[in-house]
Amino acid sequence: YQISEVIGKDIIQMVVLPEFHPKIQEHIVKNTTGPIEVVAKRKDGSTFPVEIEAKDFAYKDDVFRVAAVRDISERKKAELIIQQQNDKLKKLNADKDKFMQILAHDLRNPFNSILGFTSLLVENLRDYTVEEVEERLTEMYSTTQKTYSLLEDLLLWSKSQAGKLPFEPQKADVYGVCSEIIIQAKLQLESKGIIIHCFSSKPVFVKADLNMFKTVIRNLLSNAIKFTNPQGAIR
């Protein structure tokens, strides 16, 4: 606006959007101190956020109210960026917590198996034959290999969640993936005497990221084992 366009005019009525007029009026009536934020409009109709701060000055028998109106567009942009960054950090923390839960969930059973074999060896070493010791060590070695493979899969998955690993969908054989996960869970199944049936009437393929797909199937099977009664069956 030109100076001539605003002299003698009610500047609030002129530049502040109508929906904010009651807020300003309440501020004036209550004589509240401090600035208030409203939305103003330019002569061309575009809008922008402003901060209004008014002060009263006494002069002789009159009181004059002087208001400063500041354009806070840049501050609002900065606040929005900070909020977006905070939201991103919250999501990253939530993803990290989720990953740690999955990691603990998927590694608990293999480590329990390793601890069980170790305990058997410690308690019965003098009574076991060389063949029995070799058998237990072979089982421990096999479990350790599978646990390491599992950990590698989970670390790859965590990288993908953090955006450090590209999502790479590919054709995956559902039966083949399930069979691989079942082999990894062999000790868990045997410890509860659970029989597992994995079957397909025809080849089934999906398009998926292999690491993510394995993590999902592994999690489902682990839960199935956990909630199946001893000597039960999983299909």
Side-chain angles (χ1 to χ4, degrees), residues 161-174:
Q161 291 296 97
K164 296 179 181 178
L165 192 69
F167 173 66
E168 297 179 346
Q170 57 184 285
K171 187 178 180 180
D173 176 11
V174 175

Side-chain angles (χ1 to χ4, degrees), residues 7 31 49 76 122 153 157-158 194 209 221:
I7 289 179
N31 199 24
K76 285 297 181 182
V122 170
D153 285 347
W157 179 83
S158 73
I194 294 173
D209 182 280
L221 179 57

Side-chain angles (χ1 to χ4, degrees), residues 4 116 167 174 186 188:
S4 59
F167 173 66
V174 175
K186 181 182 176 183
Q188 294 174 253

Side-chain angles (χ1 to χ4, degrees), residues 16 27 31 70 84-85 108 110 117 119 124 132 146 149 160 186 194 211 230:
V16 176
H27 185 72
N31 199 24
R70 305 181 187 89
Q84 291 172 339
Q85 290 174 337
R108 184 183 294 112
F117 286 133
S119 177
N124 302 286
E132 288 175 321
K146 292 168 185 173
S149 175
S160 72
K186 181 182 176 183
I194 294 173
N211 292 312

